[in-house]
Amino acid sequence: MRELKILAIIVVLVGITYWGIEPYAHSKMHPHHEPATFAYSDLKAIALNGDPNKGQQAIMNNGCTGCHSIKSQNIPAPMDPVTASASYGVNPPDLSNIAAVVDHKFLANVIKDPVKAFKLSHKFNDKKPFPMPNFFGSDQDLADIVAYLVSIAPKEVSPKEAYETACGRCHNLRYDHWTVIGEEPKFKTEVEKKQFELKLAQYESNLKKYLGTTPPDLSMFIRSRGHEYIRDFVEDPQKILHGTAMPRVGLTKEATEKVITYLEKVGDRKKEKRNSLGPWVLLYFVIFSILAYLWKQKIWREVH
Amino acid sequence: MAHFTKANSVYEWLDQRLALTKLWKVLAAEYWVPKNINFLWAMGVVLMTMFTILVISGIFLLMYYKPDTKLAFDSVNYTIMQEVWYGWLWRHMHAVAASVVFLVIYIHMLTGIYYASYKRGREMIWISGMLLFVTFSAEAFSGYMLPWGQMSYWAAQVITNLFGGIPFIGDDLVIWIRGNFYVSDPTLTRFFMLHVFLMPIIIMMLIGFHFYSLRIPHVNNQEGEEIDFDAEAEKYKAGLKKESKVIPFWPVFISKDLFVLGVFMIFYFYLVFYHYDFAMDPINFDPANPMKTPPHIYPEWYFLWSYEVLRGFFFNVGPLSAMDMGLIAFGIANIIFFFLPWFDKNDEVAPAAKRGGFFIWFWLLVADMIVLTIWGKLPPTGFNAYIGYVAAVGFLALFAALPAVTARKKGLLSLVILVTLALYIAGYLEYTKALGNGIVIIALFAIFYLLFFLNPVFVKNRGGAQ
């Protein structure tokens, strides 16, 4: 009985200490921010009843493909990533599956006024214009373009594809051999390797000039930031890191979850193994403790 | 020379040469332990197990770890965590044991204090234990640096900087410790050596010494009862097991230890598999970046109390800067426990519950250390700074008060309490900026001292106690 009392005291004291260090101090160190809703309510709703055929025309007529590739429609990129980054700072995204990961209202607003939708007005203005110009066509044209992008987008994208479209042109993921210029190939010769590294270095240096800083590798972000932070951050980087060069990328809730799934697959690869081995080890020690207790009772009966 | 005869078995052959039977008697079968103990006395075996886990898992990690600032982070987070078979398990076991071992050390230490197991012949047990605590701290800190994450780097920056506060040689000492003008590759490499070689060897030697120091004074017990171990052992050997106050380590004591250990291992492996993140700061999963200071720099939870003693002093007094006072207090906090056997003036060995004033003193100490630990992690801004000050001064005051408490000198105790209160008031005035500088504080001190010496009640009490 006395031993249970001692145990209770220890558990309570350790519990108080733990609570104070972890949830309490943690909440004081990280200022509270609103959780992500993915509503993008600051953006103007645009009627989304466009005609995909007209949208396809509009994309051609407005010169979108002068910068953007649509590989699924056999429209190749006009420039390789490194050259593109030298011109624009970053390689413009391929539009094949953009509508599958980006919120449609957000997509229309990005085409209309990228700086506003991306929340980058602290970085781009009349003196330093954003590489992608505003769209001056009608709202109907916008709706048509979005309708076209929706029509060509796949119904379902994999977690990895979601990451590549949303984050992959700025953030390396070295634990999955992903670089900002694409998947790192298997090199046959040292020369090939060095050439690839040179391209990567050139791209990264252009990116740094464009953003003012090198975007971090995200391999360990699932451990260093955790699910909740990543979700809220993706929805609106400015909300958490004021003045960051990272644009709001406008992902849907589902696409964000996919990005997080992928980050977890890369940064916490052994989660399943942990969860499957854990119960067995615990079971072993439960049995061990029971046997130890019975042995103790047997032996102590002689001395008490 | 001893006489050797032809042995009839391998055991006999070894027994003649290594005295196995005698060794077993001395170490286990006739190593006498009081019967009258509770599960807190099993913490030694728990610690030994944790240390063994640390050594073995550490050896596996060592096979793949690279002590190079360019490779360290990935060797831990990619090679060990993802490529090596069960590397993740070894790493989590190592990290969780490194954290949990301190929880058990603190329980072990506070048990020793509560039951007064540090006095009357048991001083060397206490001192060797405290030496183990200090070396474990150095081991933990050098290990925390190795993954070369953000907190590894910045904690190293802050901790090595502390040595700069030592008069005259401080600045050179910092460079000498770092092996460079700033924390960098040589720093990592030497801390690697400390972590995997020098510190473990010292720890192992100290563990041996700690066990050895138990042999003559023997383990204390729940009531602080003085036991004649030889006489009681004779009773036990004569078959009077129920009457004897002692039990042999093997198999009686160990059977209870194993049960406690089993329950503890359930807790430990629960943490390893389902809550390993409690032992690993998320910020340390960002690679070290000397160009980017994290918003908050704090040590692991087990150092927070002494870190808060360091941070607690937030204002300058005359020529003494807040940093200097913090450093002095920090230095004191780190060695003061060594002197506990001499600060405690009472010769009586008994649990705190039977020692009146000491009982209150003990729980105040525990409460103060918990407050220090929690506030050590909170941002030191606003009212938090003042609470940190109160707790830090309180910690020093508790040790200043201990001789008075245990020798029952009310006058002396009142003096300590008055000075502490004066410091609290001065700190509060400083915090609210109601009074600007340290001269006022010193004046306050003077007033309290005068009040004390002029007050006939205190003077009388002091005389009366002697």
Side-chain angles (χ1 to χ4, degrees), chain A residues 29-63:
Chain A
M29 266 186 295
H30 300 274
H32 177 75
H33 55 257
E34 290 306 313
T37 58
F38 297 97
Y40 302 110
S41 47
D42 60 315
L43 298 176
K44 213 181 95 191
I46 287 167
L48 296 171
N49 51 351
D51 177 348
N53 291 327
K54 284 188 192 155
Q56 186 177 18
Q57 295 256 300
I59 284 210
M60 297 302 163
N61 296 342
N62 286 291

mmCIF file of all heavy atoms in Angstrom, chain A residues 29-63:
data_model
loop_
_atom_site.group_PDB
_atom_site.id
_atom_site.type_symbol
_atom_site.label_atom_id
_atom_site.label_comp_id
_atom_site.label_asym_id
_atom_site.label_seq_id
_atom_site.Cartn_x
_atom_site.Cartn_y
_atom_site.Cartn_z
ATOM 1 N N MET A 29 5.618 29.235 -26.332
ATOM 2 C CA MET A 29 6.712 29.560 -27.252
ATOM 3 C C MET A 29 6.215 29.797 -28.662
ATOM 4 O O MET A 29 6.825 30.522 -29.420
ATOM 5 C CB MET A 29 7.733 28.424 -27.258
ATOM 6 C CG MET A 29 8.856 28.662 -26.291
ATOM 7 S SD MET A 29 10.091 27.422 -26.450
ATOM 8 C CE MET A 29 9.258 25.958 -25.934
ATOM 9 N N HIS A 30 5.129 29.125 -29.014
ATOM 10 C CA HIS A 30 4.634 29.263 -30.381
ATOM 11 C C HIS A 30 3.333 30.051 -30.359
ATOM 12 O O HIS A 30 2.329 29.558 -29.862
ATOM 13 C CB HIS A 30 4.418 27.889 -31.010
ATOM 14 C CG HIS A 30 5.679 27.093 -31.076
ATOM 15 N ND1 HIS A 30 6.557 27.205 -32.109
ATOM 16 C CD2 HIS A 30 6.221 26.223 -30.198
ATOM 17 C CE1 HIS A 30 7.591 26.407 -31.882
ATOM 18 N NE2 HIS A 30 7.413 25.814 -30.723
ATOM 19 N N PRO A 31 3.368 31.277 -30.886
ATOM 20 C CA PRO A 31 2.154 32.085 -30.864
ATOM 21 C C PRO A 31 1.012 31.379 -31.589
ATOM 22 O O PRO A 31 1.232 30.694 -32.589
ATOM 23 C CB PRO A 31 2.572 33.363 -31.600
ATOM 24 C CG PRO A 31 3.872 33.072 -32.253
ATOM 25 C CD PRO A 31 4.494 31.941 -31.536
ATOM 26 N N HIS A 32 -0.162 31.546 -31.051
ATOM 27 C CA HIS A 32 -1.325 30.879 -31.613
ATOM 28 C C HIS A 32 -1.653 31.452 -32.995
ATOM 29 O O HIS A 32 -1.534 32.634 -33.239
ATOM 30 C CB HIS A 32 -2.523 31.082 -30.674
ATOM 31 C CG HIS A 32 -3.776 30.481 -31.204
ATOM 32 N ND1 HIS A 32 -4.005 29.123 -31.180
ATOM 33 C CD2 HIS A 32 -4.851 31.042 -31.801
ATOM 34 C CE1 HIS A 32 -5.182 28.887 -31.729
ATOM 35 N NE2 HIS A 32 -5.717 30.025 -32.117
ATOM 36 N N HIS A 33 -2.035 30.587 -33.915
ATOM 37 C CA HIS A 33 -2.550 31.067 -35.199
ATOM 38 C C HIS A 33 -3.794 30.274 -35.545
ATOM 39 O O HIS A 33 -3.999 29.155 -35.066
ATOM 40 C CB HIS A 33 -1.489 30.955 -36.294
ATOM 41 C CG HIS A 33 -0.932 29.579 -36.440
ATOM 42 N ND1 HIS A 33 0.302 29.220 -35.960
ATOM 43 C CD2 HIS A 33 -1.456 28.459 -36.984
ATOM 44 C CE1 HIS A 33 0.507 27.943 -36.210
ATOM 45 N NE2 HIS A 33 -0.536 27.457 -36.822
ATOM 46 N N GLU A 34 -4.616 30.868 -36.405
ATOM 47 C CA GLU A 34 -5.865 30.210 -36.780
ATOM 48 C C GLU A 34 -5.567 28.945 -37.576
ATOM 49 O O GLU A 34 -4.692 28.944 -38.427
ATOM 50 C CB GLU A 34 -6.719 31.161 -37.629
ATOM 51 C CG GLU A 34 -7.283 32.339 -36.852
ATOM 52 C CD GLU A 34 -8.069 31.895 -35.622
ATOM 53 O OE1 GLU A 34 -8.905 30.977 -35.767
ATOM 54 O OE2 GLU A 34 -7.835 32.436 -34.528
ATOM 55 N N PRO A 35 -6.289 27.864 -37.317
ATOM 56 C CA PRO A 35 -6.071 26.649 -38.099
ATOM 57 C C PRO A 35 -6.522 26.828 -39.544
ATOM 58 O O PRO A 35 -7.373 27.669 -39.849
ATOM 59 C CB PRO A 35 -6.925 25.602 -37.377
ATOM 60 C CG PRO A 35 -7.895 26.371 -36.571
ATOM 61 C CD PRO A 35 -7.276 27.695 -36.253
ATOM 62 N N ALA A 36 -5.944 26.009 -40.426
ATOM 63 C CA ALA A 36 -6.219 26.128 -41.856
ATOM 64 C C ALA A 36 -7.666 25.754 -42.180
ATOM 65 O O ALA A 36 -8.210 24.813 -41.607
ATOM 66 C CB ALA A 36 -5.266 25.229 -42.624
ATOM 67 N N THR A 37 -8.288 26.530 -43.098
ATOM 68 C CA THR A 37 -9.655 26.208 -43.537
ATOM 69 C C THR A 37 -9.696 25.902 -45.031
ATOM 70 O O THR A 37 -10.639 25.300 -45.513
ATOM 71 C CB THR A 37 -10.605 27.392 -43.276
ATOM 72 O OG1 THR A 37 -10.075 28.523 -43.982
ATOM 73 C CG2 THR A 37 -10.710 27.708 -41.807
ATOM 74 N N PHE A 38 -8.690 26.372 -45.742
ATOM 75 C CA PHE A 38 -8.604 26.212 -47.196
ATOM 76 C C PHE A 38 -9.787 26.861 -47.908
ATOM 77 O O PHE A 38 -10.224 26.400 -48.951
ATOM 78 C CB PHE A 38 -8.493 24.732 -47.577
ATOM 79 C CG PHE A 38 -7.251 24.094 -47.042
ATOM 80 C CD1 PHE A 38 -7.280 23.368 -45.859
ATOM 81 C CD2 PHE A 38 -6.039 24.256 -47.680
ATOM 82 C CE1 PHE A 38 -6.127 22.792 -45.343
ATOM 83 C CE2 PHE A 38 -4.883 23.685 -47.176
ATOM 84 C CZ PHE A 38 -4.931 22.962 -45.999
ATOM 85 N N ALA A 39 -10.339 27.927 -47.321
ATOM 86 C CA ALA A 39 -11.490 28.594 -47.932
ATOM 87 C C ALA A 39 -11.037 29.697 -48.888
ATOM 88 O O ALA A 39 -11.768 30.065 -49.803
ATOM 89 C CB ALA A 39 -12.379 29.187 -46.848
ATOM 90 N N TYR A 40 -9.834 30.219 -48.688
ATOM 91 C CA TYR A 40 -9.317 31.342 -49.493
ATOM 92 C C TYR A 40 -10.368 32.441 -49.623
ATOM 93 O O TYR A 40 -10.665 32.915 -50.716
ATOM 94 C CB TYR A 40 -8.831 30.826 -50.860
ATOM 95 C CG TYR A 40 -7.776 29.772 -50.707
ATOM 96 C CD1 TYR A 40 -8.040 28.448 -51.015
ATOM 97 C CD2 TYR A 40 -6.530 30.097 -50.192
ATOM 98 C CE1 TYR A 40 -7.073 27.461 -50.823
ATOM 99 C CE2 TYR A 40 -5.557 29.126 -49.996
ATOM 100 C CZ TYR A 40 -5.842 27.809 -50.309
ATOM 101 O OH TYR A 40 -4.902 26.855 -50.112
ATOM 102 N N SER A 41 -10.930 32.812 -48.479
ATOM 103 C CA SER A 41 -12.083 33.705 -48.499
ATOM 104 C C SER A 41 -11.727 35.144 -48.844
ATOM 105 O O SER A 41 -12.605 35.949 -49.101
ATOM 106 C CB SER A 41 -12.822 33.637 -47.155
ATOM 107 O OG SER A 41 -11.876 33.729 -46.118
ATOM 108 N N ASP A 42 -10.416 35.478 -48.839
ATOM 109 C CA ASP A 42 -10.052 36.850 -49.222
ATOM 110 C C ASP A 42 -10.076 37.026 -50.738
ATOM 111 O O ASP A 42 -9.954 38.140 -51.232
ATOM 112 C CB ASP A 42 -8.643 37.183 -48.695
ATOM 113 C CG ASP A 42 -7.595 36.245 -49.241
ATOM 114 O OD1 ASP A 42 -7.850 35.017 -49.244
ATOM 115 O OD2 ASP A 42 -6.531 36.715 -49.679
ATOM 116 N N LEU A 43 -10.226 35.933 -51.462
ATOM 117 C CA LEU A 43 -10.197 36.032 -52.929
ATOM 118 C C LEU A 43 -11.609 36.113 -53.487
ATOM 119 O O LEU A 43 -12.555 35.543 -52.930
ATOM 120 C CB LEU A 43 -9.474 34.826 -53.521
ATOM 121 C CG LEU A 43 -8.007 34.682 -53.127
ATOM 122 C CD1 LEU A 43 -7.433 33.400 -53.698
ATOM 123 C CD2 LEU A 43 -7.200 35.887 -53.597
ATOM 124 N N LYS A 44 -11.732 36.822 -54.617
ATOM 125 C CA LYS A 44 -13.043 37.010 -55.244
ATOM 126 C C LYS A 44 -13.482 35.719 -55.917
ATOM 127 O O LYS A 44 -12.698 35.090 -56.631
ATOM 128 C CB LYS A 44 -12.940 38.131 -56.285
ATOM 129 C CG LYS A 44 -14.205 38.944 -56.424
ATOM 130 C CD LYS A 44 -14.034 40.013 -57.483
ATOM 131 C CE LYS A 44 -14.564 39.500 -58.813
ATOM 132 N NZ LYS A 44 -14.214 40.341 -59.947
ATOM 133 N N ALA A 45 -14.712 35.343 -55.652
ATOM 134 C CA ALA A 45 -15.233 34.154 -56.325
ATOM 135 C C ALA A 45 -15.438 34.469 -57.796
ATOM 136 O O ALA A 45 -15.875 35.570 -58.147
ATOM 137 C CB ALA A 45 -16.544 33.732 -55.682
ATOM 138 N N ILE A 46 -15.062 33.532 -58.643
ATOM 139 C CA ILE A 46 -15.266 33.726 -60.075
ATOM 140 C C ILE A 46 -16.169 32.599 -60.557
ATOM 141 O O ILE A 46 -15.942 31.426 -60.231
ATOM 142 C CB ILE A 46 -13.919 33.725 -60.815
ATOM 143 C CG1 ILE A 46 -13.198 35.047 -60.519
ATOM 144 C CG2 ILE A 46 -14.104 33.568 -62.310
ATOM 145 C CD1 ILE A 46 -11.758 35.055 -60.916
ATOM 146 N N ALA A 47 -17.228 32.973 -61.329
ATOM 147 C CA ALA A 47 -18.170 31.956 -61.807
ATOM 148 C C ALA A 47 -17.398 30.889 -62.579
ATOM 149 O O ALA A 47 -16.622 31.203 -63.473
ATOM 150 C CB ALA A 47 -19.222 32.607 -62.696
ATOM 151 N N LEU A 48 -17.606 29.662 -62.218
ATOM 152 C CA LEU A 48 -16.798 28.611 -62.831
ATOM 153 C C LEU A 48 -17.673 27.747 -63.753
ATOM 154 O O LEU A 48 -17.829 26.555 -63.553
ATOM 155 C CB LEU A 48 -16.150 27.757 -61.747
ATOM 156 C CG LEU A 48 -15.151 28.511 -60.861
ATOM 157 C CD1 LEU A 48 -14.716 27.667 -59.690
ATOM 158 C CD2 LEU A 48 -13.928 28.962 -61.660
ATOM 159 N N ASN A 49 -18.215 28.393 -64.728
ATOM 160 C CA ASN A 49 -19.033 27.626 -65.673
ATOM 161 C C ASN A 49 -18.476 27.803 -67.082
ATOM 162 O O ASN A 49 -19.176 28.123 -68.029
ATOM 163 C CB ASN A 49 -20.492 28.076 -65.609
ATOM 164 C CG ASN A 49 -20.600 29.588 -65.747
ATOM 165 O OD1 ASN A 49 -19.579 30.298 -65.730
ATOM 166 N ND2 ASN A 49 -21.810 30.097 -65.933
ATOM 167 N N GLY A 50 -17.162 27.647 -67.177
ATOM 168 C CA GLY A 50 -16.495 27.906 -68.454
ATOM 169 C C GLY A 50 -16.608 26.761 -69.442
ATOM 170 O O GLY A 50 -17.046 25.669 -69.120
ATOM 171 N N ASP A 51 -16.150 27.045 -70.637
ATOM 172 C CA ASP A 51 -16.148 26.067 -71.712
ATOM 173 C C ASP A 51 -14.705 25.627 -71.953
ATOM 174 O O ASP A 51 -13.861 26.442 -72.335
ATOM 175 C CB ASP A 51 -16.736 26.742 -72.961
ATOM 176 C CG ASP A 51 -16.699 25.803 -74.150
ATOM 177 O OD1 ASP A 51 -16.026 24.755 -74.062
ATOM 178 O OD2 ASP A 51 -17.334 26.140 -75.172
ATOM 179 N N PRO A 52 -14.420 24.363 -71.761
ATOM 180 C CA PRO A 52 -13.027 23.914 -71.889
ATOM 181 C C PRO A 52 -12.435 24.196 -73.264
ATOM 182 O O PRO A 52 -11.254 24.532 -73.365
ATOM 183 C CB PRO A 52 -13.120 22.406 -71.641
ATOM 184 C CG PRO A 52 -14.388 22.189 -70.921
ATOM 185 C CD PRO A 52 -15.318 23.282 -71.320
ATOM 186 N N ASN A 53 -13.258 24.069 -74.332
ATOM 187 C CA ASN A 53 -12.720 24.291 -75.674
ATOM 188 C C ASN A 53 -12.270 25.726 -75.855
ATOM 189 O O ASN A 53 -11.206 25.996 -76.404
ATOM 190 C CB ASN A 53 -13.767 23.937 -76.728
ATOM 191 C CG ASN A 53 -14.004 22.429 -76.727
ATOM 192 O OD1 ASN A 53 -13.071 21.659 -76.468
ATOM 193 N ND2 ASN A 53 -15.245 22.034 -76.965
ATOM 194 N N LYS A 54 -13.129 26.646 -75.366
ATOM 195 C CA LYS A 54 -12.751 28.061 -75.437
ATOM 196 C C LYS A 54 -11.520 28.312 -74.580
ATOM 197 O O LYS A 54 -10.651 29.125 -74.928
ATOM 198 C CB LYS A 54 -13.905 28.946 -74.971
ATOM 199 C CG LYS A 54 -15.007 29.081 -76.007
ATOM 200 C CD LYS A 54 -16.013 30.131 -75.544
ATOM 201 C CE LYS A 54 -17.270 30.091 -76.405
ATOM 202 N NZ LYS A 54 -18.437 30.613 -75.664
ATOM 203 N N GLY A 55 -11.477 27.614 -73.455
ATOM 204 C CA GLY A 55 -10.334 27.769 -72.553
ATOM 205 C C GLY A 55 -9.038 27.367 -73.226
ATOM 206 O O GLY A 55 -8.010 28.044 -73.096
ATOM 207 N N GLN A 56 -9.088 26.284 -73.979
ATOM 208 C CA GLN A 56 -7.891 25.822 -74.673
ATOM 209 C C GLN A 56 -7.405 26.904 -75.633
ATOM 210 O O GLN A 56 -6.213 27.208 -75.712
ATOM 211 C CB GLN A 56 -8.197 24.532 -75.421
ATOM 212 C CG GLN A 56 -6.961 23.910 -76.046
ATOM 213 C CD GLN A 56 -7.266 22.588 -76.724
ATOM 214 O OE1 GLN A 56 -8.419 22.277 -77.018
ATOM 215 N NE2 GLN A 56 -6.240 21.815 -76.960
ATOM 216 N N GLN A 57 -8.356 27.487 -76.357
ATOM 217 C CA GLN A 57 -8.041 28.580 -77.286
ATOM 218 C C GLN A 57 -7.404 29.747 -76.545
ATOM 219 O O GLN A 57 -6.374 30.285 -76.954
ATOM 220 C CB GLN A 57 -9.348 29.074 -77.929
ATOM 221 C CG GLN A 57 -10.015 28.038 -78.806
ATOM 222 C CD GLN A 57 -9.806 28.353 -80.256
ATOM 223 O OE1 GLN A 57 -10.215 29.425 -80.719
ATOM 224 N NE2 GLN A 57 -9.152 27.459 -80.983
ATOM 225 N N ALA A 58 -8.052 30.111 -75.398
ATOM 226 C CA ALA A 58 -7.578 31.262 -74.631
ATOM 227 C C ALA A 58 -6.131 31.040 -74.175
ATOM 228 O O ALA A 58 -5.308 31.958 -74.193
ATOM 229 C CB ALA A 58 -8.481 31.506 -73.428
ATOM 230 N N ILE A 59 -5.825 29.817 -73.769
ATOM 231 C CA ILE A 59 -4.466 29.514 -73.320
ATOM 232 C C ILE A 59 -3.474 29.758 -74.454
ATOM 233 O O ILE A 59 -2.403 30.361 -74.256
ATOM 234 C CB ILE A 59 -4.393 28.054 -72.801
ATOM 235 C CG1 ILE A 59 -5.041 28.006 -71.424
ATOM 236 C CG2 ILE A 59 -2.956 27.541 -72.807
ATOM 237 C CD1 ILE A 59 -4.518 26.975 -70.485
ATOM 238 N N MET A 60 -3.857 29.331 -75.675
ATOM 239 C CA MET A 60 -2.963 29.544 -76.826
ATOM 240 C C MET A 60 -2.855 31.032 -77.153
ATOM 241 O O MET A 60 -1.771 31.584 -77.318
ATOM 242 C CB MET A 60 -3.494 28.797 -78.062
ATOM 243 C CG MET A 60 -3.531 27.292 -77.882
ATOM 244 S SD MET A 60 -1.882 26.647 -77.478
ATOM 245 C CE MET A 60 -2.300 25.057 -76.837
ATOM 246 N N ASN A 61 -4.022 31.660 -77.205
ATOM 247 C CA ASN A 61 -4.045 33.075 -77.626
ATOM 248 C C ASN A 61 -3.317 33.991 -76.653
ATOM 249 O O ASN A 61 -2.740 34.996 -77.051
ATOM 250 C CB ASN A 61 -5.486 33.565 -77.776
ATOM 251 C CG ASN A 61 -6.192 32.817 -78.887
ATOM 252 O OD1 ASN A 61 -5.535 32.195 -79.729
ATOM 253 N ND2 ASN A 61 -7.508 32.845 -78.868
ATOM 254 N N ASN A 62 -3.387 33.660 -75.378
ATOM 255 C CA ASN A 62 -2.782 34.555 -74.387
ATOM 256 C C ASN A 62 -1.320 34.222 -74.094
ATOM 257 O O ASN A 62 -0.713 34.827 -73.207
ATOM 258 C CB ASN A 62 -3.591 34.540 -73.098
ATOM 259 C CG ASN A 62 -4.898 35.306 -73.267
ATOM 260 O OD1 ASN A 62 -4.889 36.523 -73.409
ATOM 261 N ND2 ASN A 62 -6.001 34.594 -73.312
ATOM 262 N N GLY A 63 -0.806 33.236 -74.803
ATOM 263 C CA GLY A 63 0.628 32.960 -74.689
ATOM 264 C C GLY A 63 1.049 32.252 -73.418
ATOM 265 O O GLY A 63 2.216 32.336 -73.018
#
